[in-house]
Structure formats: C-alpha cells, structure tokens
C-alpha cells in the first residue's frame, strides 16, 4: 500500500498524489507499487529490494549517481500466536525498515504494518516535518528505540508472571514460553547492536547532513538505544539464570521420584523373595505352613520400611 503525506502548517496531512517534499509510505507494496517507486519516484531498484528483504541487517548505503541514501534499521514486532489472543502467547521478533532519503522526497518501505509508521501516519508524533528529511529520519529512529524499551518491559513482566506459574507447577507451556522470551531477547540484542552501528555512522555526518538541532536529537536516540541494549543484556542474563535454575529443579524432582520408586520397588520385592523360597518344594524349610512365610514377609517389609524411613529415603 502506498500513501503520501506532507507537513503543512505544522500538521501532517495525507495527499491524494505525489508532491514535492512529501513522505511516501510503502507498506507491503505490490509489484505495481514497486514499479511506481522505481520508475515514477526514481528509487533505486536495489534499495527497494533491500528494504523488502526480511534477512537484511541494519546498515547505511549511499549512491553518488542517484544522490540517494538508504538506511536500514531493525524495528521490534510483537506477533500473536494462532492458538489464542492473550498476552502470554506474544512472540517478539525484529524486522527491517528501509528509509530512503532522496531529492524532493523521503521514502519508507517495509514488509508489514508496524506501530512506528502507524503513529507517524496518524500524527501521534509531534514536531515532524516531511520537508526536513534528516529530522524526520531521527524521529523514526527515536520512536523505534522507544518501542524496543516498551517491548523489553513487556518481556520482563511476562517472564515474571511465567516464573510465578512455574513455582506452582512445572508445565511444558510455561517452559516453552520462557524459551520463546529468551529467543526474543537474542533477536532484540542482535538488532540493537546493528542499529547502534548504523547510528554511529549517521553521527559522523559524512553520509547524512546533520544540522545543529539534529545533533541533540541523535544523541537522544543513541541514549535510548544504549539503555535498550543494557536492559536487554540484564533481562537475558536473568532469564538464562532462571531457566538454568528451573532445569536443575526439574532434574532434582526427577531424581527424587526415581529414588522413591526404587525404595518402593525394593520393599515390594521382599515378599516375592520369601515366597519364592517357600515355593521351590524343598523339604526341611522351617515353618512350611503359609502363616509363617506371610508373617516373615510382613515383618521384613516393616523392617525395610523403617530403615528407609530413618534414612529419609521417601523424600
């Protein structure tokens, strides 16, 4: 879907057609829309292709001939599971967003709808101006870094609730959820580090011209990214330690169950041993009457149970 926006008198309006100094938002573009971007707008084909590649990592690229700059950044995404629509089934990942700065326009291209672009389209971010391309770019980056922080706090709360459920019962669902959160933090950590490298390249001012006001905004973005990286590392360490602890608890519980079952098996085997002796048709065994072996088996079981109980083998 292609949409055109332009800031007029401090307010961003949607346009019916392409105009100078406008923002072109392309979300999951069709082949026809891709051709429009390349032929009518003049976006380089390799820039369009890179922006729509799910495996593309964050980087910055510049083409001298076309005078176009491509900035690929990873943004966080929360996907709902198909089983149920609850917070406990959220899966977090990262996806690339392509931002192209060119003469007369700024273009954003992404494979899926995302909250950052949606917020900018609906005017929820104050101070943006489509004519000020560098500042517009920095507002996108700031919003993405803030979204990372929001999702990291969600992951922390979700992991805390899942941990409380694990204290009550060791179920596979909670363990799988914890594993999914740990994987999400790995995605976040990798994407944040590549985004940080891209921001440092932008800060040098060689590929994108930075104005005085832009420096302060870029520093705010870097602070948010650094905070997100630190939070991601802390939560990842906590979650990894929690998973290791619960793995040890599960292993210990299994050992306890196996120990109790072994003790019960030994106690139950004592009557079989005694009755086997008396079932071999051997003459001369004391107490050939059935009462004696029965009493002997009961006494032996009680003695074995007392010994195991004293050694605390039933816990």
């Amino acid at each position: 879907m292609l949409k055109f926006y332009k800031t007029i008198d401090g307010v961003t309006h949607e346009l019916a057609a392409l105009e100078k100094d406008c923002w072109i938002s392309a979300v999951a573009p069709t082949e026809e829309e891709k051709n429009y971007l390349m032929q009518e707008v003049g976006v380089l084909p390799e820039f369009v292709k890179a922006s729509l590649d799910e495996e593309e990592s964050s980087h910055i690229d510049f083409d001298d001939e076309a005078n176009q700059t491509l900035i690929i950044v990873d943004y966080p995404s929360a996907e709902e599971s198909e089983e149920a629509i609850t917070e406990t089934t959220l899966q977090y990942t990262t996806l690339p967003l392509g931002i192209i700065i060119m003469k007369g326009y700024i273009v954003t291209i992404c494979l899926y709808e995302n909250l950052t672009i949606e917020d900018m389209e609906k005017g929820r971010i104050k101070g943006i101006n489509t004519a000020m391309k560098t500042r517009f770019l920095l507002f996108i980056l700031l919003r993405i870094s803030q979204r990372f922080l929001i999702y990291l706090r969600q992951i922390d709360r979700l992991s805390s609730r899942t941990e409380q459920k694990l204290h009550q019962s060791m179920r596979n669902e909670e363990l799988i959820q914890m594993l999914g959160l740990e994987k999400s933090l790995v995605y976040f950590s990798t994407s944040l580090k590549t985004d940080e490298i891209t921001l440092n390249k932008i800060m040098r001012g060689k590929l994108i011209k930075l104005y005085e006001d832009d420096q302060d905004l870029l520093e705010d973005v870097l602070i948010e990214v650094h905070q997100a990286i630190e939070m991601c590392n802390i939560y990842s360490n906590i979650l990894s330690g929690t998973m290791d602890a619960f793995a040890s608890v599960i292993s210990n519980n299994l050992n306890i169950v196996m120990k109790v079952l072994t003790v019960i098996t030994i106690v139950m085997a004592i009557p079989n041993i005694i009755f086997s002796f008396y079932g071999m048709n051997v003459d001369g065994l004391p107490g050939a009457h059935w009462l004696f072996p029965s009493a002997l088996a009961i006494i032996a079981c009680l003695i074995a149970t007392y010994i195991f109980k004293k050694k605390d083998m039933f816990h």
Side-chain angles (χ1 to χ4, degrees), residues 3 16-17 27 33-34 53 55 57 65 101 112 116 141 143 177 184 216 225 242 254 258 264:
K3 292 182 180 180
V27 179
E33 291 169 342
K34 293 178 191 177
D53 185 2
E55 304 301 323
S57 60
E65 294 183 6
I101 298 176
Y112 307 101
T116 301
L141 298 176
R143 196 68 173 181
Q177 179 67 64
S184 299
D216 295 335
V225 170
T242 303
L254 179 61
M258 294 302 296
I264 293 174

Side-chain angles (χ1 to χ4, degrees), residues 2-197:
L2 281 183
K3 292 182 180 180
F4 309 99
Y5 297 89
K6 188 174 182 179
T7 304
I8 303 172
D9 297 329
V11 181
T12 302
H13 300 275
E14 186 174 355
L15 305 175
L18 187 66
E19 289 186 15
K20 187 181 179 182
D21 290 333
C22 76
W23 163 39
I24 305 169
S25 174
V27 179
T30 62
E31 288 299 324
E32 184 180 350
E33 291 169 342
K34 293 178 191 177
N35 292 330
Y36 179 86
L37 288 173
M38 293 183 286
Q39 297 170 10
E40 300 297 329
V41 182
V43 180
L44 293 173
E46 55 267 30
F47 284 2
V48 175
K49 183 180 179 181
S51 301
L52 296 173
D53 185 2
E54 277 195 58
E55 304 301 323
E56 195 75 21
S57 60
S58 179
H59 68 277
I60 185 168
D61 196 5
F62 179 74
D63 189 276
D64 291 321
E65 294 183 6
N67 194 22
Q68 295 182 19
T69 304
L70 169 68
I71 303 97
I72 298 282
V73 290
D74 289 333
Y75 67 90
S77 174
E79 300 175 356
E80 291 176 341
S81 172
E82 296 179 359
E83 298 177 359
I85 305 177
T86 60
E87 190 180 359
T88 56
T89 58
L90 285 177
Q91 298 295 322
Y92 297 89
T93 185
T94 57
L95 295 167
L97 170 66
I99 307 163
I100 301 157
I101 298 176
M102 56 189 300
K103 187 177 181 181
Y105 314 108
I106 184 166
V107 185
T108 59
I109 305 174
C110 55
L111 271 171
Y112 307 101
E113 294 182 1
N114 64 83
L115 294 175
T116 301
I117 298 298
E118 184 181 330
D119 289 344
M120 300 191 75
E121 289 178 347
K122 294 183 178 180
R124 295 172 185 161
I125 304 176
K126 304 299 180 183
I128 65 172
N129 190 332
T130 55
M132 303 170 67
K133 300 179 184 64
T134 303
R135 194 165 185 81
F136 187 89
L137 165 68
L138 294 177
F139 270 116
I140 293 177
L141 298 176
L142 180 62
R143 196 68 173 181
I144 288 174
S145 61
Q146 292 171 344
R147 185 67 56 185
F148 268 113
L149 292 172
I150 291 172
Y151 284 165
L152 283 169
R153 294 188 184 99
Q154 287 183 5
I155 289 174
D156 183 47
R157 289 195 297 269
L158 188 55
S159 64
S160 297
R161 283 198 295 269
T162 306
E163 183 180 345
Q164 290 175 358
K165 292 179 181 178
L166 278 172
H167 282 296
Q168 299 171 1
S169 63
M170 296 289 178
R171 298 192 307 172
N172 290 338
E173 289 81 357
E174 281 77 17
L175 291 171
I176 292 171
Q177 179 67 64
M178 295 283 276
L179 183 62
L181 293 177
E182 191 172 17
K183 185 167 67 173
S184 299
L185 289 172
V186 173
Y187 290 149
F188 278 16
S189 178
T190 304
S191 297
L192 283 166
K193 288 175 182 177
T194 55
D195 283 352
E196 183 185 23
I197 294 172

Side-chain angles (χ1 to χ4, degrees), residues 276-293:
S276 296
F277 275 116
Y278 280 88
M280 291 188 295
N281 295 323
V282 178
D283 296 331
L285 286 175
H289 194 270
W290 67 270
L291 286 175
F292 181 79

